[in-house]
């Protein structure tokens, strides 16, 4: 499995507009569904053995933490728009 370093070496010296095409070509050559899914299954089995089977609270913390990050990222555009509107109203002399 190639590393990020190999990807950087493959894209080094390219113009920015050529990078997406180079990354797509790199991924197509080095990653396939079977290999990726087997690595993912191995990771899940290792995670289960290390954290879930041992009774560790880490899976709970992971779900809560990543859930918070996902929810925050999902709500950010609406919150930012609200903030910008509030700033505009303050500048105009509103609330």
């Amino acid at each position: 499995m190639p590393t990020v370093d190999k990807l950087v070496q493959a894209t080094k010296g390219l113009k920015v507009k050529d990078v997406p095409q180079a990354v797509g070509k790199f991924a197509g050559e080095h990653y396939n569904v079977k290999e990726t899914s087997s690595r993912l299954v191995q990771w899940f089995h290792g995670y289960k053995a290390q954290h879930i089977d041992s009774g560790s609270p880490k899976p709970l913390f992971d779900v809560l933490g990543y859930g918070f990050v996902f929810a925050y990222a999902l709500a950010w555009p609406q919150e930012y728009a609200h903030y910008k509107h509030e700033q505009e109203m303050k500048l105009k002399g509103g609330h």
Side-chain angles (χ1 to χ4, degrees):
M1 182 69 73
T3 62
V4 174
D5 186 47
K6 290 181 183 176
L7 176 61
V8 170
Q9 292 298 323
T11 57
K12 190 180 272 187
L14 294 177
K15 293 183 178 181
V16 174
K17 67 178 184 172
D18 297 331
V19 171
Q21 186 178 21
V23 169
K25 181 180 175 188
F26 183 85
E29 291 173 357
H30 294 20
Y31 297 99
N32 60 40
V33 174
K34 184 178 179 183
E35 185 177 307
T36 304
S37 66
S38 69
R39 285 180 56 95
L40 187 62
V41 167
Q42 288 174 350
W43 181 83
F44 278 128
H45 284 298
Y47 187 87
K48 181 180 180 293
Q50 188 175 10
H51 301 295
I52 295 173
D53 293 344
S54 68
S56 170
K58 186 178 183 324
L60 176 63
F61 297 152
D62 287 344
V63 168
L64 293 175
Y66 290 118
F68 173 76
V69 169
F70 178 74
Y72 187 79
L74 195 62
W76 175 251
Q78 184 178 359
E79 292 296 323
Y80 185 71
H82 175 73
Y83 171 76
K84 293 302 278 183
H85 178 73
E86 185 178 41
Q87 292 299 319
E88 289 173 7
M89 294 307 292
K90 284 182 181 177
L91 289 174
K92 291 180 182 178
H95 273 225

